Amino acid sequence: MAKQRVLSGVQPTGNLHLGNYLGAIRNWVNAQDQYDNYFCVVDLHAITVPHDPKVLADNSYAIAALYLACGIDLTHSTIFIQSHIAAHSELAWLLNCITPVNWLERMIQFKEKAVKQGENVSVGLLDYPVLMAADILLYDADLVPVGEDQKQHIELTRDLVIRINDQFGTGENSVLKMPEPLIQKAGARVMSLTDGTKKMSKSDPSDLSRISLLDPPEVITKKIKRCKTDPTKGLEFDNPDRPECNNLLTLYHLLSGQSREAVAADCAEMGWGQFKPLLAETTVEALRPIQEKYSEIMSDRAALDAILRDGREKAAASANHVLAKVKAAMGFSVPL
Ligand code: AQP
């Protein structure tokens, strides 16, 4: 039986952080041998917020290298850069024309990011979920592994599939495949180090709020030393009055590989003075192999280019096939 298809991606908007890793990439790596995987660097999404053209391309290569450094294996997975395949923009346009504006206006991510852009908020930011739907649907993806924050966008993708299939499918023949979100409970929402009620994010103005996968050991140690805690003695999971405590214990559980029960028992009597150095050391050791592999990959640019060229060819074959199917269903003429 053919393996189910997985599609996911990360924006090259800055260095990847522990939220991107634990909420998304690590789960891709752990499950990759069960699926036929497509992982893209979603650079078209990165320009929905103000961006610096001087660093966009380098950031995209860096994210692709980090995918490999985190353990993405090319025998199970295809890695490519979204903008290298024109079908993403083209399908997004076709989907735009059947998407009600009010579906997009109620997206939480749009509302949160639009506030930051004020009067300059772009059509691109509003349209982000439609482009994301195109990314997923072009690969006939069965499953989309993401963090909790992207769930609403996948629901919108599913609504678009229903709409396209109802309007343009014929009888038994659906045009697009219905994808499902794949959200792991642990790590689905890693929170900011400076505010345990906000998600860790690349766009937070404070670098102290996140641990980037490429932070050197002394920076990781400093960020953990300075992170927000509370005055209560003893550490515990799931106390709604102690969001920072829950977040830091969860990080320790995920990065140390110890079970939640073992962590809860070991840390029940601990104070922050004892726990913080333990978390810092665990984080440094968990990221060390990723950082070493990343340096190795970045030192051979020709090899990375070749991987991305192969990825583009493979991804384009699927994307162009689905795009042609949608265009035919919508009634476009075929160029002679
Ligand atoms: N804090 C998080 N906890 C768990 N998962 C997270 N993800 C992001 N933040 C967390 C997951 O990482 C994947 C890639 O995300 P993205 O880069 O495409 O965009 P994002 O979700 O908007 O991530 P950021 O860091 O918050 O970026 P900015 O600040 O640029 O918007 C997704 O699967 C996401 O769920």
Side-chain angles (χ1 to χ4, degrees), residues 95 129-130 132-134 136-137 144 151-163 176-179:
L95 297 177
V130 178
M132 179 166 161
I136 296 165
L137 299 172
V144 188
K151 193 169 166 212
Q152 196 185 29
H153 291 166
I154 296 174
E155 280 159 9
L156 183 125
T157 303
R158 290 170 56 82
D159 289 340
L160 286 174
V161 171
I162 294 170
R163 222 169 154 92
L176 291 168
K177 190 171 206 179
M178 182 64 85

Side-chain angles (χ1 to χ4, degrees), residues 91-111:
L91 182 59
W93 175 256
L94 303 180
L95 297 177
N96 273 336
C97 296
I98 58 134
T99 307
V101 174
N102 66 6
W103 285 13
L104 302 178
E105 284 168 338
R106 61 171 189 249
M107 293 291 114
I108 295 164
Q109 182 175 287
F110 171 69
K111 288 196 232 167

Side-chain angles (χ1 to χ4, degrees), residues 8-17 20 24-25 28 39-51 56 59-64 66-67 80-82 109 113 117 124-125 128 131-132 135 149-150 153 199 201-203:
S8 201
V10 173
Q11 302 181 69
T13 40
N15 278 332
L16 295 193
H17 52 70
N20 300 131
I25 300 171
W28 307 351
F39 297 122
C40 54
V41 178
V42 288
D43 53 350
L44 294 170
H45 286 271
I47 66 164
T48 58
V49 291
H51 80 285
L56 181 62
N59 284 348
S60 297
Y61 286 108
I63 301 278
L66 268 170
Y67 285 178
F80 63 101
I81 295 183
Q82 181 192 31
Q109 182 175 287
K113 291 194 176 177
Q117 291 190 16
L125 187 69
Y128 178 115
L131 179 60
M132 179 166 161
D135 302 337
D149 60 324
Q150 294 297 332
H153 291 166
K199 77 162 190 155
S201 162
K202 296 190 224 92
S203 56

